[in-house]
Amino acid sequence: SYPRAQNVTWKSTNFKTILTWEPKTSADYSYTVEFSAVGGDKQRNPHCIRSLVTVCDLSSSLTDLNAYYTADVLSEPPLGATSDLIEFPYTSSPRFCPYKDTDIRRPDFKLEVSEDKKKTTLYVTDPLTALFKDGLQLNIRDIFSDQLQYRVTYRKNKSTGKKVYNSKTNVIELTDLDRGESYCFNVQAYIPSRRIDKQLGELSQTQCSNNDYQSIFEG
């Protein structure tokens, strides 16, 4: 009999969803992946039939983003070989829902301080996903629409006391900052409708505004 797959795991970031497992195959057997939405028919991805690798990219196969999916990894004879077995050993994955479970990568943002130094504005770019519609690559706002917020964490430069601000839009204006002080900012996606451990995306890189020391050119 063939070795059963182990550690069947979903790895998903920005809807790039890959099923992984162990152990690596030998020349004696291969793996086939069958997946289904809960309550639906089993399907196969043509790239993951009698395969010798231990990954299967199901990003474009999980078409209902709100459905819960499970996948079975079957251990089968290699391509072209036959076997007397009627049922092959398999291992099932945990349940996975793309909309609720995919991790969200860090966003990029631009920082702008108004001339009078009273307002700092962050312009956040929605991260792209692995999904396409009508030939166009979708970003996370296309998928989550008004469920998507952005969380800004900010502090005075060289200080540890942090403040948090949640915004429903990509243009975030902060007006409660001390004029002339340098502040540092991080942004991350925030989806409050998800369960607690999946609400926050990856933290952006830190960006800081400049100190406003009077320059020698100002009279």
Side-chain angles (χ1 to χ4, degrees), residues 40-69:
D41 294 333
K42 290 195 172 176
Q43 303 174 61
R44 293 185 171 193
N45 178 307
H47 299 291
C48 310
I49 297 173
R50 301 272 178 116
S51 168
L52 299 179
V53 296
T54 55
V55 295
C56 179
D57 186 341
L58 292 172
S59 308
S60 57
S61 301
L62 310 181
T63 50
D64 181 353
L65 299 180
N66 283 291
Y68 280 92
Y69 292 89

Side-chain angles (χ1 to χ4, degrees), residues 2 5 20 24-25 30 52 59 63 92 104 114 120 124 135 147 153 156 165 194-195 199-200 218-219:
Y2 303 109
T20 68
K24 299 227 178 310
T25 56
S30 64
L52 299 179
S59 308
T63 50
S92 298
I104 306 297
S114 62
T120 299
V124 184
Q147 295 284 314
T153 306
K156 283 184 184 174
Y165 179 80
R194 286 175 153 202
R195 67 173 191 267
Q199 287 181 355
L200 290 172
E218 289 174 35

Side-chain angles (χ1 to χ4, degrees), residues 117-121 154 172-179:
K117 310 291 189 244
K118 287 182 178 174
K119 184 173 72 177
T120 299
T121 308
Y154 60 99
I172 304 165
E173 295 183 351
L174 299 171
T175 53
D176 65 338
L177 310 183
D178 294 341
R179 288 175 67 179

Side-chain angles (χ1 to χ4, degrees), residues 4 9-10 35 51 86 101 114-115 137 171 194 196 215:
R4 210 179 272 272
T9 306
W10 297 98
F35 65 94
S51 168
I86 298 168
D101 293 329
S114 62
E115 278 192 36
Q137 191 170 7
V171 179
R194 286 175 153 202
I196 292 287
S215 82

Side-chain angles (χ1 to χ4, degrees), residues 28-40:
D28 303 327
Y29 68 102
S30 64
Y31 291 117
T32 294
V33 173
E34 292 184 342
F35 65 94
S36 62
V38 172

Side-chain angles (χ1 to χ4, degrees), residues 146-197:
D146 61 357
Q147 295 284 314
L148 172 65
Q149 299 182 30
Y150 283 106
R151 173 167 291 184
V152 182
T153 306
Y154 60 99
R155 58 180 168 78
K156 283 184 184 174
N157 205 342
K158 307 201 168 42
S159 157
T160 53
K162 292 181 179 178
K163 288 189 175 181
V164 169
Y165 179 80
N166 296 326
S167 169
K168 294 185 176 178
T169 66
N170 293 51
V171 179
I172 304 165
E173 295 183 351
L174 299 171
T175 53
D176 65 338
L177 310 183
D178 294 341
R179 288 175 67 179
E181 292 278 354
S182 171
Y183 282 82
C184 295
F185 303 87
N186 290 98
V187 182
Q188 62 198 135
Y190 172 48
I191 305 166
S193 60
R194 286 175 153 202
R195 67 173 191 267
I196 292 287
D197 64 324

